[in-house]
Amino acid sequence: MENPFVITEGRTFTKVEKQMIWHKPASHKTSQEELRISSEIKHNWLDPEMKIMNVLLEGDAGSGKTQLARALSDDLQLPYTKVTCFADMDKTDVFGALLPVVSTDDNEDQELLEAIYQTDSLQTVLNVIQQHFQIDDNQAKERLSQLIERINQPENTKSVEYKFYPSEIVRAMQRGYLLEIQEPTVIRDASVLVALNSALEPNGLLNIPTGIIRRHPDCVVVITTNRNYQGNRPLNESLRDRVQHAEKMDLPSIEVMIERATAKTNFSDRDYLAIMAQIIRLLDETAKANAIKGVAGMRSYFFWVNSLKQGQDPLESIFPKVLYKLTTDETELKILQNALEQSGLLTKLQQVKNQQKLQQGRKISQAEASERNIIEEAENATLKSEAISDESSDLDAASDEILESADTGEKEPEQEAMTLPEEGQTSDAESKGNSASLDEEDKLGSAMSLDELTELDKTKRKELNREVREALKETIHAKEGTILHRPKINEKALEQGQELTQKVLPEVDSLSRVINDLLDKEVSNDFSSGKYYGARFNPGHVAYGDLRNFDKKNPPNEQPSLALAVRVDESGSMLRDDRMETAKLAAVALSLFAEKTKIPLMLYGDSADLSQREKTSIYSYKEFDDSYDFMAAKIATMKPRQNNRDGVPLRLLAEKLNQQAADTKVLLSISDGQPKALPDYTGERAKQDIQDVLQEYERQGILFIACAIGEDKEQLRELYGENNFVDISDISTLPHQLLQLIARFI
């Protein structure tokens, strides 16, 4: 298509000048500002009075000012050049300078002298000259003689020549280029750019040492500057007045941002692109409103999208790609993060992420498909088959395997899959991670194999999901879609579990030995009198004549002194400050301690809003009746996920804890924030739900302890009450503090 905005028809350019004309890449998207400016320049080009030759583009970094200036080079077919201003810029940088001409001989002498200075003998000097000039020994001696002669010449016999070297500004105006002047507002001396005033006139002149330069009639000047940034000054009024067209450059519309990101990165998922664009705009507005000097613009958007295309988690890459470009100040970061949380955009982004995983489903092998008589090559085949074979009331339990696979990214062991080859193939590393095999010495004392554990979990998961639905039947969560999962272990989880165990095992061993010693020596000193037989004879009872003449020592209490239920918040905010890793260490420490001291233990993790269907997700790492097989590996699969609906896990744990026979029943909640889940589980509604659970089960003898490890400590203190609250200011000490806390209840 012919360019309608060309203003240089008939003009002949040199080969170098043709190369200077910018060519729009395929990723370039023409903006309304570009069309408006190009049209204005073209329509008024032949009018000597209304000709537009100077354009001002003012806006935030990343809003596309330089890209637009280059695009005008293509539209107008003018060679493009630019000058970037700096604080100490002076008039010589604007016009040019007279500088001495350095001869080639002087350059060679200087290089040679620097090399000779490093030598320590005449022969070495001659060798250096031979190598430098690639000559023989006699020629080297002659060269050395000439060099000494030149060095010994008196200074006043040398003639120094000067030449005027014009600046890029002068060259562009003289030859008729499109000149971009970047960031003139950073110049400290306001008079510097005023020197350009005459050149910005339609028939402007530049007075330089070699004469007067007249502005070429084809020269177009585009001034690009940021707005109200640190170090910027207001643009000089007289210079601003000589601009014939000005544009306020802001972030483009959401639709334009999506189009440009798609063209730039070749990433086309509009669900992701739209939410990420909204986040960029929100952060930009929040930064301006709170005087945060950083920038959230199109560059941040492009690189964030590109990281997503490369497989990075957008909820993690938002920090290096966007937030840390805005600021690294903790207070300012908290302002930005609060704005994101209140907007709900991160929740929407997580939902898109989970929906993408859910759509992928679990790919089944050809062997499994043949065995189950499945002929559909679709993700839904697994769900449909399980739905037919299970009762309708068990639909949630039957399909949670698919949801788990989508959430964890796990696949079946390598077999011929019912998918296209490129989708079904996996790397050796993936195969190793997804199909774990253990030698006997690697089982860490486990009584069963991984295959046995998997089969047990399949059966148990359905039963547990039925219990969950029953426990929530009369609550506000009854219809919210709660699904319980059992962790799936691979070799990576086993390795991580071993690492976690090694970190906490010394302290656990030390404390458990102390506790077990106390328990072993716990012998009651109380005696019951009036027994037919016993450990000692009591003569005082002989007078009664009923043969109850003995005292018998009371036996120790057979039931455990403590039962412990632990809840770990797996919401997305646990990603920050290594909170999840510390919570894993604490969970491993508690499980090892409970195993060594024979304390009944139950461990759940939870998240919310993983999908529209699964509003609450419970992760059962250990039930009271579970063994401790692969416990650390199970805990290693914990990770930050999405929101948190605290009332559900607290109620489920409290209900099962209430059924335990123990003197003391403790429910420990490890969390870094207030409850928040879609659509309206927050504020007073969430607070009332949690306090209802506390009141109901505290009356039945359960002790709740909220362990707060995030910024919302005061809110959690108010939510759970002063008596149910523990403040862990230094989360690195979390495992130690929890072990000491639980030991006091035994």
Side-chain angles (χ1 to χ4, degrees), residues 461-528:
R461 187 175 60 248
K462 295 182 181 181
E463 176 187 347
L464 292 173
N465 270 292
R466 280 192 287 268
E467 292 177 0
V468 166
R469 290 192 291 273
E470 185 65 28
L472 300 177
K473 186 176 293 184
E474 303 298 329
T475 71
I476 61 173
H477 312 288
K479 298 182 180 180
E480 292 290 351
T482 300
I483 297 180
L484 182 142
H485 305 273
R486 297 280 277 183
K488 291 190 175 181
I489 305 172
N490 54 27
E491 286 192 358
K492 183 178 180 181
L494 289 167
E495 293 171 1
Q496 292 176 346
Q498 289 179 340
E499 293 173 2
L500 293 170
T501 300
Q502 291 169 1
K503 291 179 181 179
V504 299
L505 190 57
E507 184 172 3
V508 171
D509 280 341
S510 176
L511 182 61
S512 59
R513 278 196 299 268
V514 173
I515 297 299
N516 283 328
D517 286 344
L518 293 175
L519 294 177
D520 290 341
K521 296 174 183 178
E522 186 185 57
V523 178
S524 175
N525 291 321
D526 294 333
F527 286 83
S528 296

Side-chain angles (χ1 to χ4, degrees), residues 267-287:
F267 183 80
S268 57
D269 191 318
R270 292 184 66 86
D271 291 337
Y272 270 122
L273 290 170
I275 294 175
M276 293 168 78
Q278 292 175 44
I279 289 174
I280 292 291
R281 292 182 69 89
L282 173 67
L283 290 173
D284 179 60
E285 295 167 1
T286 304

Side-chain angles (χ1 to χ4, degrees), residues 31 171 182 196 388 394 517 731:
S31 65
R171 195 169 74 95
Q182 295 182 333
L196 280 174
I388 293 172
D394 293 337
D517 286 344
I731 66 167

Side-chain angles (χ1 to χ4, degrees), residues 191 194 303:
S191 66
V194 177
F303 282 96

Side-chain angles (χ1 to χ4, degrees), residues 229-241:
Y229 282 8
Q230 188 171 1
N232 286 20
R233 293 163 180 77
L235 195 61
N236 181 271
E237 291 83 354
S238 60
L239 188 144
R240 183 185 283 271
D241 188 54

Side-chain angles (χ1 to χ4, degrees), residues 183-240:
E183 312 301 343
T185 54
V186 303
I187 302 175
R188 276 198 284 263
D189 186 353
S191 66
V192 171
L193 276 180
V194 177
L196 280 174
N197 282 352
S198 61
L200 293 178
E201 298 290 348
N203 296 311
L205 301 174
L206 283 176
N207 192 354
I208 63 176
T210 58
I212 295 177
I213 299 295
R214 185 178 298 276
R215 177 173 177 169
H216 194 287
D218 288 348
C219 178
V220 173
V221 176
V222 179
I223 300 173
T224 58
T225 181
N226 291 325
R227 185 168 53 224
N228 299 327
Y229 282 8
Q230 188 171 1
N232 286 20
R233 293 163 180 77
L235 195 61
N236 181 271
E237 291 83 354
S238 60
L239 188 144
R240 183 185 283 271

Side-chain angles (χ1 to χ4, degrees), residues 120-164:
D120 55 6
S121 68
L122 177 60
Q123 187 57 49
T124 309
V125 170
L126 292 174
N127 291 339
V128 170
I129 295 175
Q130 282 182 261
Q131 294 173 6
H132 184 80
F133 293 106
Q134 295 296 307
I135 56 179
D136 60 28
D137 185 60
N138 291 328
Q139 291 173 319
K141 292 177 181 178
E142 182 65 27
R143 283 274 188 168
L144 178 59
S145 175
Q146 295 172 0
L147 176 61
I148 294 172
E149 184 179 348
R150 284 197 299 272
I151 293 173
N152 289 332
Q153 284 181 356
E155 289 293 328
N156 56 10
T157 62
K158 286 188 177 181
S159 60
V160 180
E161 296 181 359
Y162 286 85
K163 180 181 178 180
F164 178 74

